[in-house]
Amino acid sequence: MNSSSRQRRLTGVAVTALAVAVTATACSSGSGGSAAQGADSGTYTVWDPYPQFDKTSDWAKLLDECGTKAGVKVKRTAFDTSDLGNKTLLAAQQGNSPDVLVVDNPVVSTLAEAGVLTTTDDNKLDTSKVDPNLLAAGQSGGKTYGTPIGANTLALYYNKDVLKAAGVDAASIKDWKSLTAALAKVKKAGKKGITFSAIGTEEGSFQFLPWFWGSGAELTELDSAQAASALSLWKDWLQNGYAPNSVLNNTQTTSWQEFAGGDYAFGENGTWQLANAKKTGFDYGVLPIPAATSGNAAAPTGGEFVTVPVQEDSGRYATSQKLVTCLTSGENLYTTDTTLSYVAPTSEVQDKQVAANADLKPWVDAVKAAKGRTSDDLGTKYPKISEQMWRAVQSALSGSKSPEDALSEAQSAAK
């Protein structure tokens, strides 16, 4: 694709869609840039959303090692996650995209629709070992753009002491009915039930999605009876005192702080809290979020894709492919995903992770049931749908609208 055609496709729709916020990990800001170079250049640029890792980190060392194997020098620049998408769009407009881009998975379809990324058919990346549900987050219009470097998702942490005092067996929680019954017992025992984030941002949608999908609802039909049942579940929990009113303003961080205080039976949160869970001072366990009637609900995937942006000189793709293949090899995925507290995107490496750390077993199960927010070919439609979803959640939980009315209004606005 030549420069002028690429610029024509970088529309305002794409820029607006990048307002989707990432909920998996928090990063501080970084800066940097790249310039268009020929295929014979000895330097290849890599942009990533990990400014917390400096040049002495294992991640930075891995990039250098992969560069050495490919016979080139890697120039790495780290950006804050929220800045990286817009920086990438601007670089594409100016014709100086990085050779390799590590980007949050909901942003992939936006960049793809803007004409910024090459497909795996173009760049010859092998994604055959990647779990299909994880790869779907990087697919748009029947094409695949990149490969996941790892995934995280949501599950229910539980306090074993609180459940024991309430006479609740965690293994008995198989669906919404049994979970709600457990919350009732916990309240009767004088403890607190469940905390989560229902804030009016992408974090609120991220946390509501397992219940939404677990009801059988689809993002293209926010006002379905199944969607209303999911929102009614949360509303009933607040009304019965099983969940605190603070969920309306809770981020995932403040929700975690509530759970870590030791009085709550359950806290909905992510893989990224594993290290903090070990510091709470109480025994904890992890359950996949149950679906309405049985089985595990699909929780949204967090984590990044490694992609190859469009270049003026297509001869650069061969070396970029070598870099990406090195970064996502089985051995390197294991090391990187351990560093990032991610579950690997392949069954082979997942098995190795569980063998080394049995605590990861429920997270692997949750990731295997997880779903990309932009899957089902939603692409740039997702941000608008998500905004209406969190607005509906806020309206229903605050009591200003019934779940049915809030979702009906959300569906109309999302069309």
Side-chain angles (χ1 to χ4, degrees):
M1 181 184 300
N2 62 46
S3 177
S4 60
S5 62
R6 181 170 66 248
Q7 289 174 7
R8 283 197 296 271
R9 293 186 62 189
L10 294 172
T11 65
V13 173
V15 175
T16 301
L18 282 169
V20 177
V22 187
T23 59
T25 52
C27 302
S28 58
S29 61
S31 62
S34 67
Q37 303 176 84
D40 59 350
S41 169
T43 299
Y44 277 65
T45 54
V46 177
W47 287 6
D48 68 52
Y50 311 132
Q52 70 270 36
F53 299 134
D54 64 20
K55 62 183 179 181
T56 66
S57 66
D58 289 341
W59 169 248
K61 290 176 182 176
L62 174 59
L63 288 172
D64 288 339
E65 289 171 8
C66 287
T68 299
K69 287 181 181 179
V72 297
K73 180 180 178 181
V74 168
K75 180 183 178 183
R76 177 221 176 193
T77 305
F79 293 92
D80 178 85
T81 301
S82 59
D83 292 337
L84 184 54
N86 287 324
K87 288 284 198 307
T88 301
L89 281 171
L90 180 61
Q93 289 174 327
Q94 297 172 341
N96 62 351
S97 294
D99 292 289
V100 175
L101 174 70
V102 186
V103 67
D104 190 44
N105 75 72
V107 180
V108 173
S109 59
T110 297
L111 295 177
E113 289 184 33
V116 174
L117 303 178
T118 61
T119 70
T120 51
D121 287 338
D122 295 331
N123 55 46
K124 311 304 180 188
L125 284 177
D126 180 7
T127 60
S128 60
K129 292 184 179 180
V130 178
D131 288 351
N133 66 313
L134 300 181
L135 190 63
Q139 294 174 327
S140 179
K143 297 180 179 180
T144 303
Y145 298 85
T147 188
I149 200 167
N152 53 28
T153 193
L154 297 167
L156 294 179
Y157 287 87
Y158 63 90
N159 185 319
K160 293 184 178 181
D161 295 334
V162 172
L163 291 189
K164 184 177 180 181
V168 174
D169 180 2
S172 70
I173 297 170
K174 304 287 188 182
D175 51 27
W176 291 358
K177 183 178 180 180
S178 54
L179 175 56
T180 301
L183 295 176
K185 287 183 179 180
V186 167
K187 183 185 178 186
K188 188 175 181 180
K191 292 293 186 178
K192 297 177 181 179
I194 186 169
T195 181
F196 48 87
S197 170
I199 195 170
T201 69
E202 174 64 16
E203 284 191 73
S205 290
F206 190 75
Q207 290 242 317
F208 183 59
L209 275 170
W211 312 95
F212 181 86
W213 282 330
S215 73
E218 299 287 343
L219 286 171
T220 52
E221 194 177 349
L222 294 177
D223 57 351
S224 67
Q226 294 91 336
S229 71
L231 190 47
S232 295
L233 178 74
W234 271 19
K235 184 176 177 64
D236 290 346
W237 285 351
L238 264 68
Q239 288 183 331
N240 290 318
Y242 302 157
N245 288 327
S246 59
V247 299
L248 280 160
N249 297 310
N250 270 349
T251 64
Q252 293 183 112
T253 299
T254 56
S255 172
W256 175 259
Q257 290 167 348
E258 287 181 337
F259 175 74
D263 290 329
Y264 280 90
F266 300 95
E268 180 183 352
N269 229 294
T271 328
W272 55 92
Q273 296 291 6
L274 267 177
N276 289 328
K278 295 179 184 192
K279 300 175 184 176
T280 59
F282 56 79
D283 287 337
Y284 74 92
V286 179
L287 287 171
I289 296 172
T293 55
S294 65
N296 298 338
T301 55
E304 290 78 44
F305 265 61
V306 191
T307 67
V308 177
V310 171
Q311 299 293 332
E312 296 281 342
D313 181 0
S314 60
R316 296 183 69 80
Y317 298 150
T319 298
S320 296
Q321 187 266 357
K322 290 179 183 178
L323 292 173
V324 176
T325 298
C326 176
L327 291 172
T328 57
S329 69
E331 179 182 352
N332 289 333
L333 275 179
Y334 178 77
T335 301
T336 299
D337 289 338
T338 299
T339 299
L340 297 173
S341 294
Y342 281 172
V343 171
T346 67
S347 295
E348 175 187 1
V349 183
Q350 291 166 1
D351 291 345
K352 186 176 179 181
Q353 287 180 304
V354 172
N357 181 3
D359 290 346
L360 286 175
K361 179 63 169 65
W363 291 106
V364 169
D365 292 341
V367 163
K368 283 188 175 297
K371 185 174 181 177
R373 283 164 277 176
T374 58
S375 296
D376 299 329
D377 223 20
L378 287 177
T380 54
K381 297 175 185 175
Y382 173 74
K384 187 173 183 180
I385 294 170
S386 173
E387 180 178 359
Q388 297 311 317
M389 175 183 282
W390 82 59
R391 288 182 184 278
V393 169
Q394 286 267 305
S395 295
L397 298 192
S398 67
S400 65
K401 291 185 178 72
S402 69
E404 292 79 7
D405 288 346
L407 289 166
S408 177
E409 185 176 299
Q411 179 64 19
S412 296
K415 282 185 178 178

